[in-house]
Amino acid sequence: MDVLASQFRAARALLGKDQEVVATWVELDRREVSRWEAAKYKLLSSDAEALQKAFEKNGIEFLPATGTSGAGVRWLKPGQRDRFRGAQFRAARAMASLSMRDLQEMSGVNRNFVTRLETGQIGALNLETLRKLEQAFARLNIELTAESENWGAGVRWTVPDPFAQPTAKEHL
């Protein structure tokens, strides 16, 4: 399975790990992980496979694109503690490669709130605020997937190829 750079970013964010930690898992330099996550160059297939296996060892499942939905990541097992879905929102933001400022502009949700949500420092929240964040990600073709009895929550693209360029006909 080909894994997208956006999936590796989302997997790392779902786990709450920084690039340095992930790089040590597969004996890569942090700068290599950074450049690859930014899609500045293609990761060698052996490195990509090692990285995918390292994430899987740490409880992440990579979801392939299907005919109707895109690639994604999720917890391999249900029951991950993710109060108010902060890790899931962090993963969605990473998948979209958005800064806190970008997300604030798209959603109308203050970036200080997003920071507290993603780091688990929220005591309570307004469901309308969560809806605004979900809607912003939906506009970017990113879905926050629900946990089931067989697997954990995650994120995925809602379109098979999120990076396909729209045709001139679609602009009409």
Side-chain angles (χ1 to χ4, degrees), residues 4 7 63-73 95 141 143 155-162:
L4 303 172
Q7 284 177 278
L63 306 170
T66 67
T68 58
S69 61
V73 295
M95 182 170 262
N141 297 316
E143 171 187 28
V155 295
R156 79 178 308 145
W157 294 105
T158 58
V159 294
D161 186 356

PDB file of all heavy atoms in Angstrom, residues 4 7 63-73 95 141 143 155-162:
ATOM      1  N   LEU A   4       0.441   8.031   1.901  1.00  0.00           N
ATOM      2  CA  LEU A   4       0.614   9.442   1.606  1.00  0.00           C
ATOM      3  C   LEU A   4       1.357  10.144   2.738  1.00  0.00           C
ATOM      4  O   LEU A   4       1.233   9.767   3.902  1.00  0.00           O
ATOM      5  CB  LEU A   4      -0.753  10.109   1.431  1.00  0.00           C
ATOM      6  CG  LEU A   4      -1.687   9.539   0.377  1.00  0.00           C
ATOM      7  CD1 LEU A   4      -3.061  10.204   0.483  1.00  0.00           C
ATOM      8  CD2 LEU A   4      -1.098   9.729  -1.003  1.00  0.00           C
ATOM      9  N   GLN A   7      -0.841  11.021   5.484  1.00  0.00           N
ATOM     10  CA  GLN A   7      -1.175   9.957   6.435  1.00  0.00           C
ATOM     11  C   GLN A   7      -0.104   9.846   7.515  1.00  0.00           C
ATOM     12  O   GLN A   7      -0.422   9.633   8.685  1.00  0.00           O
ATOM     13  CB  GLN A   7      -1.299   8.609   5.718  1.00  0.00           C
ATOM     14  CG  GLN A   7      -2.577   8.445   4.926  1.00  0.00           C
ATOM     15  CD  GLN A   7      -2.579   7.129   4.193  1.00  0.00           C
ATOM     16  OE1 GLN A   7      -1.987   7.033   3.121  1.00  0.00           O
ATOM     17  NE2 GLN A   7      -3.232   6.134   4.772  1.00  0.00           N
ATOM     18  N   LEU A  63      -5.239   3.325   6.488  1.00  0.00           N
ATOM     19  CA  LEU A  63      -6.398   2.955   5.678  1.00  0.00           C
ATOM     20  C   LEU A  63      -6.131   3.319   4.222  1.00  0.00           C
ATOM     21  O   LEU A  63      -5.805   4.471   3.926  1.00  0.00           O
ATOM     22  CB  LEU A  63      -7.638   3.707   6.163  1.00  0.00           C
ATOM     23  CG  LEU A  63      -7.958   3.570   7.650  1.00  0.00           C
ATOM     24  CD1 LEU A  63      -9.055   4.532   8.057  1.00  0.00           C
ATOM     25  CD2 LEU A  63      -8.330   2.137   7.962  1.00  0.00           C
ATOM     26  N   PRO A  64      -6.284   2.358   3.326  1.00  0.00           N
ATOM     27  CA  PRO A  64      -6.074   2.668   1.908  1.00  0.00           C
ATOM     28  C   PRO A  64      -7.271   3.428   1.337  1.00  0.00           C
ATOM     29  O   PRO A  64      -8.375   3.368   1.886  1.00  0.00           O
ATOM     30  CB  PRO A  64      -5.960   1.287   1.264  1.00  0.00           C
ATOM     31  CG  PRO A  64      -6.791   0.406   2.150  1.00  0.00           C
ATOM     32  CD  PRO A  64      -6.621   0.950   3.543  1.00  0.00           C
ATOM     33  N   ALA A  65      -7.034   4.120   0.248  1.00  0.00           N
ATOM     34  CA  ALA A  65      -8.138   4.761  -0.470  1.00  0.00           C
ATOM     35  C   ALA A  65      -8.987   3.668  -1.100  1.00  0.00           C
ATOM     36  O   ALA A  65      -8.483   2.603  -1.469  1.00  0.00           O
ATOM     37  CB  ALA A  65      -7.595   5.697  -1.548  1.00  0.00           C
ATOM     38  N   THR A  66     -10.278   3.932  -1.181  1.00  0.00           N
ATOM     39  CA  THR A  66     -11.193   3.000  -1.843  1.00  0.00           C
ATOM     40  C   THR A  66     -11.804   3.736  -3.032  1.00  0.00           C
ATOM     41  O   THR A  66     -11.463   4.888  -3.291  1.00  0.00           O
ATOM     42  CB  THR A  66     -12.307   2.547  -0.881  1.00  0.00           C
ATOM     43  OG1 THR A  66     -13.132   3.679  -0.578  1.00  0.00           O
ATOM     44  CG2 THR A  66     -11.744   1.947   0.394  1.00  0.00           C
ATOM     45  N   GLY A  67     -12.735   3.104  -3.691  1.00  0.00           N
ATOM     46  CA  GLY A  67     -13.399   3.756  -4.809  1.00  0.00           C
ATOM     47  C   GLY A  67     -14.229   4.955  -4.406  1.00  0.00           C
ATOM     48  O   GLY A  67     -14.492   5.847  -5.205  1.00  0.00           O
ATOM     49  N   THR A  68     -14.645   5.013  -3.138  1.00  0.00           N
ATOM     50  CA  THR A  68     -15.530   6.095  -2.704  1.00  0.00           C
ATOM     51  C   THR A  68     -14.929   7.008  -1.645  1.00  0.00           C
ATOM     52  O   THR A  68     -15.452   8.092  -1.407  1.00  0.00           O
ATOM     53  CB  THR A  68     -16.837   5.512  -2.139  1.00  0.00           C
ATOM     54  OG1 THR A  68     -16.523   4.630  -1.054  1.00  0.00           O
ATOM     55  CG2 THR A  68     -17.611   4.771  -3.213  1.00  0.00           C
ATOM     56  N   SER A  69     -13.872   6.599  -0.976  1.00  0.00           N
ATOM     57  CA  SER A  69     -13.269   7.455   0.051  1.00  0.00           C
ATOM     58  C   SER A  69     -11.757   7.378  -0.028  1.00  0.00           C
ATOM     59  O   SER A  69     -11.192   6.480  -0.651  1.00  0.00           O
ATOM     60  CB  SER A  69     -13.758   7.071   1.450  1.00  0.00           C
ATOM     61  OG  SER A  69     -13.394   5.753   1.753  1.00  0.00           O
ATOM     62  N   GLY A  70     -11.124   8.322   0.609  1.00  0.00           N
ATOM     63  CA  GLY A  70      -9.678   8.420   0.524  1.00  0.00           C
ATOM     64  C   GLY A  70      -8.957   7.700   1.644  1.00  0.00           C
ATOM     65  O   GLY A  70      -9.561   7.094   2.530  1.00  0.00           O
ATOM     66  N   ALA A  71      -7.647   7.796   1.602  1.00  0.00           N
ATOM     67  CA  ALA A  71      -6.773   7.174   2.584  1.00  0.00           C
ATOM     68  C   ALA A  71      -6.895   7.875   3.930  1.00  0.00           C
ATOM     69  O   ALA A  71      -7.331   9.026   4.016  1.00  0.00           O
ATOM     70  CB  ALA A  71      -5.334   7.230   2.084  1.00  0.00           C
ATOM     71  N   GLY A  72      -6.498   7.173   4.975  1.00  0.00           N
ATOM     72  CA  GLY A  72      -6.555   7.754   6.309  1.00  0.00           C
ATOM     73  C   GLY A  72      -5.773   6.943   7.313  1.00  0.00           C
ATOM     74  O   GLY A  72      -5.033   6.013   6.956  1.00  0.00           O
ATOM     75  N   VAL A  73      -5.943   7.293   8.570  1.00  0.00           N
ATOM     76  CA  VAL A  73      -5.322   6.573   9.683  1.00  0.00           C
ATOM     77  C   VAL A  73      -6.331   6.498  10.818  1.00  0.00           C
ATOM     78  O   VAL A  73      -7.231   7.339  10.926  1.00  0.00           O
ATOM     79  CB  VAL A  73      -4.029   7.248  10.191  1.00  0.00           C
ATOM     80  CG1 VAL A  73      -2.943   7.236   9.133  1.00  0.00           C
ATOM     81  CG2 VAL A  73      -4.277   8.653  10.683  1.00  0.00           C
ATOM     82  N   MET A  95      -3.180  16.235   8.900  1.00  0.00           N
ATOM     83  CA  MET A  95      -3.475  15.666   7.590  1.00  0.00           C
ATOM     84  C   MET A  95      -3.628  16.771   6.549  1.00  0.00           C
ATOM     85  O   MET A  95      -3.146  16.664   5.430  1.00  0.00           O
ATOM     86  CB  MET A  95      -4.726  14.789   7.643  1.00  0.00           C
ATOM     87  CG  MET A  95      -5.052  14.133   6.313  1.00  0.00           C
ATOM     88  SD  MET A  95      -6.350  12.900   6.479  1.00  0.00           S
ATOM     89  CE  MET A  95      -5.349  11.440   6.561  1.00  0.00           C
ATOM     90  N   ASN A 141     -12.324  18.157   2.733  1.00  0.00           N
ATOM     91  CA  ASN A 141     -12.485  16.730   2.404  1.00  0.00           C
ATOM     92  C   ASN A 141     -11.822  15.815   3.422  1.00  0.00           C
ATOM     93  O   ASN A 141     -11.287  14.765   3.070  1.00  0.00           O
ATOM     94  CB  ASN A 141     -11.955  16.416   0.991  1.00  0.00           C
ATOM     95  CG  ASN A 141     -12.723  17.137  -0.073  1.00  0.00           C
ATOM     96  OD1 ASN A 141     -13.946  17.179  -0.033  1.00  0.00           O
ATOM     97  ND2 ASN A 141     -12.021  17.728  -1.018  1.00  0.00           N
ATOM     98  N   GLU A 143     -12.561  13.759   7.037  1.00  0.00           N
ATOM     99  CA  GLU A 143     -13.595  13.244   7.941  1.00  0.00           C
ATOM    100  C   GLU A 143     -12.933  12.732   9.215  1.00  0.00           C
ATOM    101  O   GLU A 143     -11.905  12.054   9.166  1.00  0.00           O
ATOM    102  CB  GLU A 143     -14.317  12.106   7.233  1.00  0.00           C
ATOM    103  CG  GLU A 143     -15.261  11.325   8.093  1.00  0.00           C
ATOM    104  CD  GLU A 143     -15.826  10.103   7.395  1.00  0.00           C
ATOM    105  OE1 GLU A 143     -15.162   9.546   6.490  1.00  0.00           O
ATOM    106  OE2 GLU A 143     -16.932   9.701   7.770  1.00  0.00           O
ATOM    107  N   VAL A 155      -8.907   9.634  11.235  1.00  0.00           N
ATOM    108  CA  VAL A 155      -9.214  10.637  10.219  1.00  0.00           C
ATOM    109  C   VAL A 155      -8.948  10.033   8.850  1.00  0.00           C
ATOM    110  O   VAL A 155      -8.106   9.144   8.706  1.00  0.00           O
ATOM    111  CB  VAL A 155      -8.384  11.934  10.388  1.00  0.00           C
ATOM    112  CG1 VAL A 155      -8.731  12.644  11.677  1.00  0.00           C
ATOM    113  CG2 VAL A 155      -6.899  11.645  10.326  1.00  0.00           C
ATOM    114  N   ARG A 156      -9.687  10.528   7.855  1.00  0.00           N
ATOM    115  CA  ARG A 156      -9.439  10.068   6.489  1.00  0.00           C
ATOM    116  C   ARG A 156      -9.933  11.125   5.511  1.00  0.00           C
ATOM    117  O   ARG A 156     -10.778  11.950   5.841  1.00  0.00           O
ATOM    118  CB  ARG A 156     -10.072   8.714   6.214  1.00  0.00           C
ATOM    119  CG  ARG A 156     -11.541   8.704   5.937  1.00  0.00           C
ATOM    120  CD  ARG A 156     -12.105   7.316   5.612  1.00  0.00           C
ATOM    121  NE  ARG A 156     -11.371   6.666   4.563  1.00  0.00           N
ATOM    122  CZ  ARG A 156     -11.145   5.342   4.495  1.00  0.00           C
ATOM    123  NH1 ARG A 156     -11.639   4.539   5.408  1.00  0.00           N
ATOM    124  NH2 ARG A 156     -10.453   4.825   3.514  1.00  0.00           N
ATOM    125  N   TRP A 157      -9.354  11.065   4.317  1.00  0.00           N
ATOM    126  CA  TRP A 157      -9.834  11.901   3.228  1.00  0.00           C
ATOM    127  C   TRP A 157     -11.193  11.355   2.801  1.00  0.00           C
ATOM    128  O   TRP A 157     -11.408  10.144   2.821  1.00  0.00           O
ATOM    129  CB  TRP A 157      -8.864  11.860   2.042  1.00  0.00           C
ATOM    130  CG  TRP A 157      -7.533  12.478   2.338  1.00  0.00           C
ATOM    131  CD1 TRP A 157      -6.359  11.825   2.570  1.00  0.00           C
ATOM    132  CD2 TRP A 157      -7.233  13.872   2.435  1.00  0.00           C
ATOM    133  NE1 TRP A 157      -5.359  12.726   2.806  1.00  0.00           N
ATOM    134  CE2 TRP A 157      -5.861  13.993   2.726  1.00  0.00           C
ATOM    135  CE3 TRP A 157      -7.995  15.029   2.296  1.00  0.00           C
ATOM    136  CZ2 TRP A 157      -5.237  15.219   2.884  1.00  0.00           C
ATOM    137  CZ3 TRP A 157      -7.369  16.256   2.452  1.00  0.00           C
ATOM    138  CH2 TRP A 157      -6.006  16.343   2.743  1.00  0.00           C
ATOM    139  N   THR A 158     -12.092  12.221   2.402  1.00  0.00           N
ATOM    140  CA  THR A 158     -13.412  11.769   1.954  1.00  0.00           C
ATOM    141  C   THR A 158     -13.462  11.548   0.451  1.00  0.00           C
ATOM    142  O   THR A 158     -14.485  11.123  -0.073  1.00  0.00           O
ATOM    143  CB  THR A 158     -14.512  12.779   2.351  1.00  0.00           C
ATOM    144  OG1 THR A 158     -14.200  14.048   1.777  1.00  0.00           O
ATOM    145  CG2 THR A 158     -14.631  12.893   3.861  1.00  0.00           C
ATOM    146  N   VAL A 159     -12.378  11.840  -0.225  1.00  0.00           N
ATOM    147  CA  VAL A 159     -12.291  11.646  -1.678  1.00  0.00           C
ATOM    148  C   VAL A 159     -11.103  10.732  -1.965  1.00  0.00           C
ATOM    149  O   VAL A 159     -10.091  10.782  -1.255  1.00  0.00           O
ATOM    150  CB  VAL A 159     -12.142  12.986  -2.440  1.00  0.00           C
ATOM    151  CG1 VAL A 159     -13.403  13.825  -2.290  1.00  0.00           C
ATOM    152  CG2 VAL A 159     -10.936  13.760  -1.956  1.00  0.00           C
ATOM    153  N   PRO A 160     -11.207   9.872  -2.987  1.00  0.00           N
ATOM    154  CA  PRO A 160     -10.125   8.926  -3.272  1.00  0.00           C
ATOM    155  C   PRO A 160      -8.772   9.578  -3.547  1.00  0.00           C
ATOM    156  O   PRO A 160      -7.745   9.073  -3.122  1.00  0.00           O
ATOM    157  CB  PRO A 160     -10.623   8.170  -4.502  1.00  0.00           C
ATOM    158  CG  PRO A 160     -12.107   8.280  -4.432  1.00  0.00           C
ATOM    159  CD  PRO A 160     -12.376   9.626  -3.825  1.00  0.00           C
ATOM    160  N   ASP A 161      -8.743  10.710  -4.250  1.00  0.00           N
ATOM    161  CA  ASP A 161      -7.471  11.384  -4.530  1.00  0.00           C
ATOM    162  C   ASP A 161      -7.596  12.852  -4.124  1.00  0.00           C
ATOM    163  O   ASP A 161      -8.027  13.693  -4.907  1.00  0.00           O
ATOM    164  CB  ASP A 161      -7.107  11.270  -6.009  1.00  0.00           C
ATOM    165  CG  ASP A 161      -5.723  11.840  -6.301  1.00  0.00           C
ATOM    166  OD1 ASP A 161      -5.081  12.396  -5.375  1.00  0.00           O
ATOM    167  OD2 ASP A 161      -5.289  11.745  -7.454  1.00  0.00           O
ATOM    168  N   PRO A 162      -7.210  13.177  -2.891  1.00  0.00           N
ATOM    169  CA  PRO A 162      -7.380  14.551  -2.407  1.00  0.00           C
ATOM    170  C   PRO A 162      -6.494  15.560  -3.124  1.00  0.00           C
ATOM    171  O   PRO A 162      -6.698  16.756  -3.003  1.00  0.00           O
ATOM    172  CB  PRO A 162      -7.017  14.451  -0.926  1.00  0.00           C
ATOM    173  CG  PRO A 162      -6.121  13.267  -0.836  1.00  0.00           C
ATOM    174  CD  PRO A 162      -6.595  12.316  -1.893  1.00  0.00           C
TER     175      PRO A 162
END
